[in-house]
């Protein structure tokens, strides 16, 4: 069986849940990644910005929009030393302005994904994968990009059935 890494960007603090804001201690993407880690036993790596976005949701999305429009590459707290030992990377992130957060782009550009399989997973409140799969193809040329799994963020804790089906369809369980 191939060696898998779960690389994810997640945000706690104030989040949007189907029309309302509320504070959470664990972000939706991290919740889903915890399910994946439990099911697969895969290694995980949290993509963290050195200067994180605001804990206030509306300010955060403004900051994320500014980064997207400017093509920013936020500095990360750390990166794995190498991805050489992994055949598959589950890349998980929330949908920010129709795509992945720019910190995820920083992560992707740090490595050569040639021949590696990327399975994208995107938490959202109705916007699905957006154009993130297209954007991953641009940033990680040579990667084998599989169909992503959109997960409604407010249902993250209840996503195990969909996650298992997706993992099984990709021969990870």
């Amino acid at each position: 069986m191939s060696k898998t890494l779960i690389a994810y960007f997640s945000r706690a603090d104030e989040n949007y849940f189907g029309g309302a804001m509320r504070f959470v201690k664990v972000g939706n993407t991290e919740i889903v990644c915890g399910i994946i880690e439990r099911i697969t036993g895969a290694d995980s790596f949290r993509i963290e910005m050195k200067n994180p976005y605001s804990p206030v949701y509306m300010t955060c999305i403004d900051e994320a929009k500014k980064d997207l429009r400017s093509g920013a590459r936020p500095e990360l707290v750390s990166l794995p030393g190498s991805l050489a030992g992994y055949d598959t990377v589950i890349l998980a992130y929330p949908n920010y302005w129709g795509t992945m957060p720019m910190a995820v782009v920083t992560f992707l550009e740090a490595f050569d994904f040639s021949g590696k399989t990327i399975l994208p997973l995107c938490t959202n409140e109705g916007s699905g994968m957006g154009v993130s799969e297209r954007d991953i193809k641009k940033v990680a040329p040579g990667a084998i990009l599989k169909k992503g799994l959109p997960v409604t963020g407010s249902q993250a804790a209840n996503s195990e059935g969909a996650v298992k089906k997706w993992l099984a369809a990709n021969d990870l369980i």
Side-chain angles (χ1 to χ4, degrees):
M1 183 175 263
S2 69
K3 183 90 168 145
T4 302
L5 174 68
I6 305 162
Y8 70 96
F9 179 92
S10 190
R11 185 181 166 281
D13 301 320
E14 186 180 43
N15 271 299
Y16 178 77
F17 291 89
M21 305 293 183
R22 74 173 200 245
F23 278 88
V24 294
K25 291 184 180 184
V26 179
N28 299 323
T29 307
E30 185 173 355
I31 290 169
V32 179
C33 289
I35 293 169
I36 295 169
E37 189 173 358
R38 181 175 47 77
I39 293 169
T40 65
D43 296 337
S44 68
F45 176 79
R46 182 180 179 121
I47 300 167
E48 294 180 86
M49 294 169 49
K50 199 168 249 183
N51 298 304
Y53 292 136
S54 171
V56 177
Y57 180 78
M58 295 307 290
T59 304
C60 168
I61 63 169
D62 286 343
E63 293 167 340
K65 181 191 271 186
K66 181 181 174 195
D67 278 357
L68 177 63
R69 286 186 173 163
S70 71
R73 298 299 187 268
E75 188 176 355
L76 304 180
V77 170
S78 66
L79 285 166
S82 170
L83 298 184
Y86 299 101
D87 303 307
T88 302
V89 176
I90 295 171
L91 185 67
Y93 47 87
N95 185 320
Y96 280 8
W97 297 106
T99 191
M100 62 196 146
M102 296 309 289
V104 177
V105 177
T106 302
F107 172 82
L108 288 170
E109 289 181 343
F111 299 100
D112 179 2
F113 285 88
S114 296
K116 294 188 184 301
T117 299
I118 297 178
L119 297 171
L121 182 149
C122 182
T123 57
N124 65 88
E125 282 300 311
S127 50
M129 299 296 295
V131 296
S132 63
E133 290 163 305
R134 179 199 71 194
D135 292 346
I136 291 167
K137 280 184 184 180
K138 288 179 189 173
V139 178
I144 302 158
L145 184 65
K146 299 287 185 130
K147 182 160 178 48
L149 177 66
V151 175
T152 302
S154 56
Q155 296 300 311
N158 302 314
S159 66
E160 186 166 333
V163 166
K164 280 184 174 178
K165 185 177 177 181
W166 181 65
L167 292 170
N170 287 287
D171 298 320
L172 291 180
I173 58 171

